[in-house]
Amino acid sequence: MSSINLQGIGMTSQRTRDRLIERLRAQGISNQKVLDTIRATPRHIFLDEALAHRAYEDSSLPIGFQQTLSQPYIVARMTELLLANGPRERVLEVGTGSGYQTAILAQHVGRVFSVERIRPLQEKARKRLRHLGLHNVHLRHADGGMGWPERGPFDAILSAAAPEVVPAELLEQLAVGGRLVIPVGEQGKPQSLYVYDRHEDGIEEQCIEPVLFVPLVGGVVA
């Protein structure tokens, strides 16, 4: 990873990144700190070299194993929602994937506990996060739908994959005052992004907007 060009050239240059930020702002992303983080974080290093020139398009891109790098708008929107009620110290991420969403989160919260079921993706993400100097991320190879109960409860949970129904285990690992940001729905059918807030007297659900995510599936890949 030591040879990575963090600045990028051509279609991965700073000017291209700035155009992406303007598109995100036009789509309603209003948290300036989140926009600044996306502008400064080199998304091209989270893709294979053949796709790096497309890194600053506002689109999802394949990363192997039938998984995708989420589009920048979704990363920004989910991060913005997660941070909406104030600072978060302990955050669980379900689905490390390429590590890009992880990297964005790590620059806004105290610690990120990220679970990934596909070990080769996790190992690539680990190297990228280390290269960026993000040392407040803890990675685990496990079935993400079960969360990471030993490290909970969490101030916030973000899922990068869509279950058909919200796993009870994730709701149970939310601290009082905590927030779960998660896409829900069957693959190939309309999905929606939901927010769940845990209060002293129960869980409050809010449907945010239509989305399209890879499914949250069980099991692990070595």
Side-chain angles (χ1 to χ4, degrees):
M1 299 291 289
S2 59
S3 62
I4 285 177
N5 182 341
L6 297 181
Q7 282 302 114
I9 57 175
M11 292 304 291
T12 64
S13 68
Q14 192 62 53
R15 183 178 299 175
T16 306
R17 298 188 208 184
D18 290 342
R19 285 199 293 268
L20 170 61
I21 297 306
E22 290 309 311
R23 286 198 294 273
L24 298 183
R25 188 177 282 114
Q27 292 178 81
I29 303 300
S30 59
N31 186 314
Q32 188 60 47
K33 290 183 179 179
V34 170
L35 290 170
D36 290 344
T37 303
I38 289 178
R39 177 188 282 111
T41 302
R43 189 173 184 249
H44 60 279
I45 75 167
F46 294 89
L47 292 162
D48 290 337
E49 189 173 346
L51 286 172
H53 67 286
R54 298 185 58 193
Y56 301 99
E57 297 176 5
D58 187 24
S59 60
S60 60
L61 295 166
I63 57 172
F65 299 91
Q66 297 181 304
Q67 303 298 301
T68 59
L69 173 64
S70 292
Q71 73 178 104
Y73 169 77
I74 288 295
V75 171
R77 185 71 171 122
M78 293 180 76
T79 305
E80 186 175 67
L81 287 167
L82 183 138
L83 298 171
N85 293 344
R88 306 290 184 177
E89 177 58 33
R90 299 172 62 82
V91 174
L92 171 67
E93 179 189 34
V94 176
T96 313
S98 69
Y100 178 67
Q101 173 75 81
T102 320
I104 300 299
L105 282 177
Q107 296 174 75
H108 289 274
V109 305
R111 285 187 285 175
V112 179
F113 298 86
S114 188
V115 183
E116 173 56 56
R117 57 180 291 270
I118 302 171
R119 191 180 293 279
L121 291 182
Q122 183 193 52
E123 290 307 313
K124 282 186 177 181
R126 187 188 307 277
K127 292 176 182 177
R128 291 161 176 156
L129 294 166
R130 186 181 301 133
H131 191 84
L132 292 174
L134 298 172
H135 302 300
N136 60 334
V137 178
H138 308 267
L139 301 179
R140 184 189 193 193
H141 179 231
D143 184 334
M146 306 302 289
W148 198 338
E150 300 86 353
R151 295 299 190 107
F154 299 99
D155 302 319
I157 300 175
L158 183 149
S159 177
E164 293 185 10
V165 296
V166 177
E169 293 88 349
L170 296 185
L171 292 172
E172 289 166 3
Q173 290 169 50
L174 266 186
V176 173
R179 167 169 281 197
L180 167 62
V181 181
I182 186 170
V184 181
E186 297 180 42
Q187 187 179 24
K189 295 186 178 180
Q191 299 173 345
S192 294
L193 185 63
Y194 282 84
V195 165
Y196 293 87
D197 290 303
R198 176 175 287 282
H199 305 294
E200 291 281 2
D201 57 353
I203 301 287
E204 178 186 357
E205 174 190 281
Q206 183 181 1
C207 183
I208 303 300
E209 61 189 75
V211 290
L212 180 61
F213 275 78
V214 297
L216 180 65
V217 297
V220 296
V221 177

